[in-house]
Amino acid sequence: MTLYDRIAPIYDPWSRSVTEDVGFYVDHALASGGPVVELAVGTGRIAVPIAEAGVAVIGVDSSPEMLAGAREAATVAGVRNLVDLRVGDMRDPPVPERVPLVICPFRSLLHMETEAEKLRALSAARELLEPEGRFAFDVFAPSRDDIEETHGLWLEREPGIFELAVWDEGTRTLSLTVRSDGVSVTFGLHWLSAPEWLRLLDKTGFEVEGLYGWFDLRPFDGDEDMVFVCRRKG
């Protein structure tokens, strides 16, 4: 059982307020023409709206329980035929197809603990792309204010769902515990600075076409959030 298998029962209510990125990824999916590969597809929060826009999605996730949620969501939305769900690791996704767009929303690359794992995931995303294909993803690096305002405190993110953030600036790791109704799961998220991401992307054969500070395409100004749009080189 994966960590996300354990959180699957409360994942949708936990993430229900996260909607700001949906339009960004749907727009890129439409521009690509599809099909789109979504790494860490989860319960289909992004994949189902993309499919509702008429674009086919191949969704990869390591959690069978999360994929069950995505399958149900796609069925309810009437787009099950456009959503192909596969159990797998983003470092070695079970996708022989080559596509014009790969996405990895909701900071999922931060689950890669080491630089070597991040490089594997980025390289895997590149190998899924057609020549000149795009890879879009978002990550963050915390601000001093965010750390001070949340460190070591139980905060109610959604009604009945609580988070505890423990920040380690030395290892640049966030230990995030989520609990609700007998479910308690702790994740490790491992952040990098924008220059470090740029170095890894260059190393794995990407050219960065856009680095934004939010999903409304405002320029990145060194704040927490980073939204990347990259083109496969070669």
Side-chain angles (χ1 to χ4, degrees):
M1 175 178 287
T2 72
L3 285 174
Y4 274 91
D5 283 331
R6 290 163 56 192
I7 202 175
I10 63 167
Y11 184 85
D12 286 342
W14 173 54
S15 61
R16 66 160 56 101
S17 64
V18 183
T19 59
E20 60 275 0
D21 55 346
V22 176
F24 171 84
Y25 286 110
V26 170
D27 286 347
H28 278 276
L30 285 168
S32 78
V36 175
V37 171
E38 181 178 349
L39 302 174
V41 69
T43 58
R45 186 179 64 85
I46 301 291
V48 170
I50 288 175
E52 288 178 313
V55 180
V57 184
I58 300 169
V60 177
D61 203 283
S62 62
S63 166
E65 292 299 320
M66 294 287 278
L67 290 176
R71 192 171 296 110
E72 180 179 359
T75 300
V76 169
V79 293
R80 184 68 187 88
N81 61 314
L82 288 175
V83 181
D84 178 354
L85 300 170
R86 306 178 189 182
V87 178
D89 190 311
M90 73 170 68
R91 292 162 292 191
D92 186 22
V95 183
E97 297 93 336
R98 295 297 173 261
V99 299
L101 177 67
V102 174
I103 63 173
C104 189
F106 208 13
R107 304 166 170 180
S108 296
L109 277 170
L110 299 188
H111 288 295
M112 302 293 99
E113 182 173 353
T114 64
E115 180 173 304
E117 290 180 327
K118 289 180 174 70
L119 285 169
R120 280 187 63 196
L122 293 174
S123 295
R126 181 188 182 278
E127 291 306 307
L128 297 176
L129 290 171
E130 299 171 350
E132 305 296 314
R134 267 67 178 179
F135 177 41
F137 68 97
D138 60 273
V139 289
F140 79 96
S143 68
R144 165 52 48 187
D145 287 346
D146 194 24
I147 292 174
E148 292 178 351
E149 291 170 5
T150 62
H151 179 71
L153 301 175
W154 281 104
L155 301 174
E156 191 171 20
R157 179 184 175 109
E158 298 288 349
I161 303 178
F162 298 84
E163 288 182 351
L164 172 68
V166 177
W167 303 91
D168 186 330
E169 293 182 84
T171 62
R172 292 190 292 178
T173 300
L174 165 62
S175 176
L176 182 67
T177 300
V178 180
R179 75 177 189 198
S180 177
D181 295 330
V183 176
S184 180
V185 182
T186 300
F187 306 96
L189 300 174
H190 309 271
W191 73 84
L192 295 176
S193 66
E196 289 170 311
W197 281 110
L198 291 169
R199 176 176 59 82
L200 296 187
L201 288 164
D202 181 66
K203 190 172 183 178
T204 49
F206 285 106
E207 176 184 345
V208 176
E209 294 188 329
L211 169 54
Y212 307 106
W214 196 239
F215 300 100
D216 58 7
L217 307 186
R218 71 186 68 170
F220 176 70
D221 61 2
D223 205 355
E224 296 179 62
D225 294 287
M226 295 168 253
V227 182
F228 288 88
V229 178
C230 314
R231 180 180 60 83
R232 173 182 170 148
K233 294 189 293 187

